[in-house]
Structure formats: C-alpha cells, structure tokens
Amino acid sequence: MNPEADTSRLEQAVRTAETALIEFEIAVETFRVEVENFSRLHHQRLGPVYARLEELDAQIAEAVAARSGDPEDLRKAREARALVQPLPGVEELFGGWLDSDGLSPEGTAMLTEKPVRPPRRVRPSDEARRAFRELVREAHPDLARDEAERLRREEFIVRVNAAYADGDEDLLGALAAEWAAGPAPEPRPLDRAEELYARLEWLAQRKEMLSALAAELEGSAIGSMLRMAPEDPDGLLEEIGEGLRAQVAEREAQLRELVG
C-alpha cells in the first residue's frame, strides 16, 4: 500500500464530490427561487380571477336554488357561498393585518420592515443567473478552510441568495466586487485520511438532504406547473390567465341565462 497515493485519491474524490454538490445546490436554489416567484406571481396576478370564479359559482348555485327551491340545491348554494365568505370579524379585529388567508402582505411588510413588492418575473434575467452562479461557486461555504471562514461565507451567500431572488443585477455586481476585495481563502490542509473520509460522508448527507428538497419542490403544485413550461414560466402564467378568463366569461354567460 502507498499511503501517499491513497491520500491523493481521497483528496481527488473529495474535490470531485464538492464540485458536484455545489453545482447541485445551485440547481436546487435556482429552482426554489423560480417556484417561489411563480407562486407569488400566480397569486398576485391570478388570485382575483380565481376569486371572481368562486363568486360566480356561488351566484350560479344561488340562482339555480332560487329557481328550483330544491333542498339539495339550497344546500349546494350555501356551501358555494361559504367558500367566498371571509371569516367574520377577522379583518376588523386585526386592522387589515390578517385576513381569511392568513397574515396579509401589508401585515408581513410591517413585521419585516420590507415593502410589499412582487418579483419582476418568475425567472431572474440571464445576467443575474450568471452572476449568481459565479458568486456561489466562488463563495460557497463548503469551500471554507475553517469555521470562521465558513461563517463568513454563509452570511455572504445569504445576501447573494436574497439579491438573486429579487433579480437585482446591480446588487449582485456589488456583491461580486465585495467578494473580490475580501481576504483570499487559505488552502485547506488535507493530511489525514480520516478527515477526508468524514468529509465525504458529510457531503453525501448534504446531497441526500438537497435531493429530498428538490423532490419536494418538483412534487409541489407550483413545481408541477413549472415543469409544464420550463423554458417560459412567465408565458405559462399568461396562458393560465387566459384559460381562467375564458372560464369567467362562460360563468358570466351562464349566470345571465339563469337570471335574465
């Protein structure tokens, strides 16, 4: 056996695993941002249309019940109306901070001191994505040589993720300049095989955790919708909106026939 050769092979395995994990984490974080932005825009743009559909369904059910007087139709009308009724007294009690869906955007903004601002698009621009990927590759905490360096990198990556989620190209550029001006990372001593084996085990556990997160994102309702149009998620929102507006027009025509 050649201990030096074995250590060299372990070092190479660790470097390969680190690179693969970082790339995987970039992909998962990229998708997480897209899912979150798609969800927010879906609610902000299409929430009123869904609400209009629910209101029309309630009015149609009430019109049918008024015509027939059938107890079953009356029950369905009550149930349809209950779906669009806000929880009694909630908004008045909390002064607009809380509504039937939970904490309102305004309430959240007051607690976090952040303005209510929707993302500009589902997917940040190509320039923002390139800057994000480069920053994560350079400043990723898994490349730290000691605990102090890891903490510095973790705090920096939190800021990078926030800037990317906002699609803020200027801030990403400023962060890149900040990182370039920072202290150069010290080389990590790789002199013990036990440390390298422990490192490989940690990387495997991290990969397993990220795989579970990726599966959860892909299996969510929003993630499933995004997979329908991975290259044009913003266009998918428009397509969904067109379909919903067509349903609204159909419901309105149906209601006119019932009450006209």
Side-chain angles (χ1 to χ4, degrees):
M1 294 181 60
N2 186 335
E4 291 185 2
D6 289 344
T7 299
S8 178
R9 291 173 61 191
L10 278 173
E11 289 173 350
Q12 180 60 44
V14 167
R15 286 194 293 270
T16 300
E18 286 175 341
T19 300
L21 182 65
I22 289 172
E23 292 299 322
F24 185 50
E25 190 160 349
I26 287 172
V28 172
E29 177 62 17
T30 297
F31 188 58
R32 186 198 66 77
V33 166
E34 291 180 7
V35 167
E36 181 177 295
N37 286 353
F38 191 91
S39 178
R40 289 166 62 194
L41 285 173
H42 182 268
H43 178 73
Q44 289 164 350
R45 293 182 186 176
L46 303 182
V49 187
Y50 284 114
R52 177 60 177 159
L53 278 172
E54 290 179 350
E55 174 62 29
L56 286 168
D57 285 338
Q59 291 181 15
I60 289 170
E62 288 166 347
V64 169
R67 276 192 171 190
S68 70
D70 184 89
E72 181 62 16
D73 289 339
L74 291 169
R75 182 189 64 79
K76 291 179 179 179
R78 286 193 299 271
E79 289 181 353
R81 177 53 60 191
L83 291 175
V84 297
Q85 289 281 26
L87 293 176
V90 168
E91 295 186 17
E92 293 79 3
L93 181 62
F94 287 91
W97 281 33
L98 196 68
D99 55 30
S100 56
D101 293 327
L103 193 64
S104 69
E106 291 74 16
T108 301
M110 293 185 72
L111 291 177
T112 61
E113 298 183 352
K114 292 183 178 179
V116 179
R117 184 179 63 180
R120 284 172 286 194
R121 53 190 296 182
V122 171
R123 177 173 295 162
S125 68
D126 291 341
E127 186 59 34
R129 297 175 74 192
R130 282 192 294 271
F132 168 73
R133 291 174 66 87
E134 288 303 317
L135 277 169
V136 173
R137 288 195 187 100
E138 293 175 7
H140 199 281
D142 290 352
L143 298 179
R145 268 57 176 180
D146 54 50
E147 188 59 24
E149 176 70 7
R150 167 173 287 278
L151 290 174
R152 184 176 80 90
R153 287 171 176 265
E154 286 177 347
E155 292 172 356
F156 184 79
I157 288 297
V158 168
R159 295 162 62 200
V160 170
N161 288 342
Y164 177 68
D166 289 338
D168 194 334
E169 296 178 24
D170 293 338
L171 181 54
L172 287 169
L175 288 169
E178 177 184 328
W179 185 258
E186 298 178 2
R188 180 194 311 203
L190 297 173
D191 55 356
R192 294 177 58 190
E194 293 83 3
E195 292 177 353
L196 294 170
Y197 277 119
R199 179 65 174 165
L200 284 173
E201 183 178 355
W202 184 89
L203 289 167
Q205 292 172 351
R206 178 71 175 168
K207 174 66 161 52
E208 184 176 350
M209 184 275 290
L210 287 170
S211 296
L213 175 58
E216 181 179 348
L217 288 169
E218 291 175 353
S220 67
I222 295 295
S224 298
M225 280 194 285
L226 272 176
R227 290 205 307 274
M228 294 169 58
E231 300 304 321
D232 188 19
D234 295 282
L236 176 60
L237 272 178
E238 291 300 323
E239 184 179 339
I240 294 172
E242 289 178 6
L244 289 173
R245 286 186 285 273
Q247 291 181 47
V248 167
E250 291 175 2
R251 300 286 208 289
E252 288 174 339
Q254 183 181 355
L255 183 60
R256 284 194 297 270
E257 290 181 5
L258 286 168
V259 301

